[in-house]
Amino acid sequence: MYMVIDGYNIINNWQDLKLEAKSSLEDARQKLIDILLNFRGYTGFDIILVFDAMYVKGSQQKHEYYSGLEVVYTKEGESADSYIEGIIKNIIKKDKVVVVTSDWVLQQVVLGQGAIRMSARELYEELNNYLENKKKLYAKDDKKDSIESRLSEEIIKKLRKMAE
């Protein structure tokens, strides 16, 4: 399964990234990349994160690869939406695709092409659910691996009595 994400749409819809972008857009992009790399490890999805460089003079399309996460910077004059629309046509022929954006027009276009749409808020909630489940799993594992969990009740009582 593929997940194609409109990068600046996510940054502008997640408050922590939006705040980060006010001081450094580069840092906000990197933080999103880091979050998605972690999410990719959890889901196994092939992720394509698209940032448009539509208004950057002389910008050429650029691709960066990080362990199953492809980051695309579009060329001058090309929006992330048009890039996403174009790649969906190819990917949908061979695999399922989830497109993450809160752009209503793009959502309608990708739905028409047979992709699944997810809003920025839905992805945020999915990531938070994942993190909460991960915390619970680690909390359970901590209890299992404690010394106390390996001792019998009788030994625990004796040790507590000795500590008094």
Side-chain angles (χ1 to χ4, degrees):
M1 176 164 306
Y2 280 82
M3 181 173 273
V4 181
I5 301 172
D6 183 343
Y8 288 132
N9 187 271
I10 299 299
I11 288 173
N12 288 316
N13 279 283
W14 291 4
Q15 291 307 311
D16 54 335
L17 292 178
K18 190 174 186 175
L19 185 62
E20 183 83 39
K22 286 181 181 179
S23 59
S24 171
L25 190 55
E26 171 94 18
D27 289 347
R29 282 193 302 256
Q30 190 57 53
K31 189 172 183 179
L32 179 56
I33 289 168
D34 293 341
I35 290 167
L36 293 174
L37 279 169
N38 190 16
F39 186 66
R40 190 224 178 290
Y42 158 64
T43 62
F45 293 168
D46 289 313
I47 299 176
I48 302 171
L49 177 61
V50 183
F51 293 109
D52 56 35
M54 187 170 174
Y55 302 111
V56 179
K57 285 273 187 217
S59 177
Q60 298 296 312
Q61 192 174 96
K62 180 178 161 188
H63 297 256
E64 296 174 354
Y65 300 91
Y66 308 86
S67 304
L69 172 69
E70 178 181 359
V71 180
V72 178
Y73 298 90
T74 65
K75 62 186 176 190
E76 179 184 1
E78 182 179 33
S79 70
D81 294 3
S82 64
Y83 180 85
I84 291 169
E85 289 172 31
I87 64 168
I88 295 304
K89 291 176 188 174
N90 295 323
I91 298 172
I92 202 76
K93 293 174 187 173
K94 60 182 178 180
D95 209 342
K96 291 183 181 180
V97 184
V98 176
V99 176
V100 183
T101 183
S102 289
D103 181 313
W104 187 84
V105 174
L106 181 56
Q107 287 179 351
Q108 300 312 304
V109 169
V110 300
L111 280 171
Q113 292 180 357
I116 301 163
R117 67 126 204 110
M118 178 183 277
S119 70
R121 180 186 53 79
E122 290 169 323
L123 179 60
Y124 186 79
E125 289 172 2
E126 180 71 25
L127 285 163
N128 283 328
N129 288 338
Y130 158 67
L131 291 173
E132 284 303 313
N133 289 336
K134 194 173 178 183
K135 285 178 190 173
K136 288 177 187 174
L137 179 65
Y138 286 134
K140 287 180 186 176
D141 285 348
D142 285 348
K143 290 177 187 171
K144 289 179 187 174
D145 289 340
S146 69
I147 293 172
E148 188 173 333
S149 69
R150 298 176 189 178
L151 301 174
S152 70
E153 286 296 319
E154 184 180 326
I155 301 285
I156 293 170
K157 285 179 187 176
K158 286 180 182 179
L159 288 171
R160 285 191 178 141
K161 190 172 185 176
M162 288 172 50
E164 292 176 352

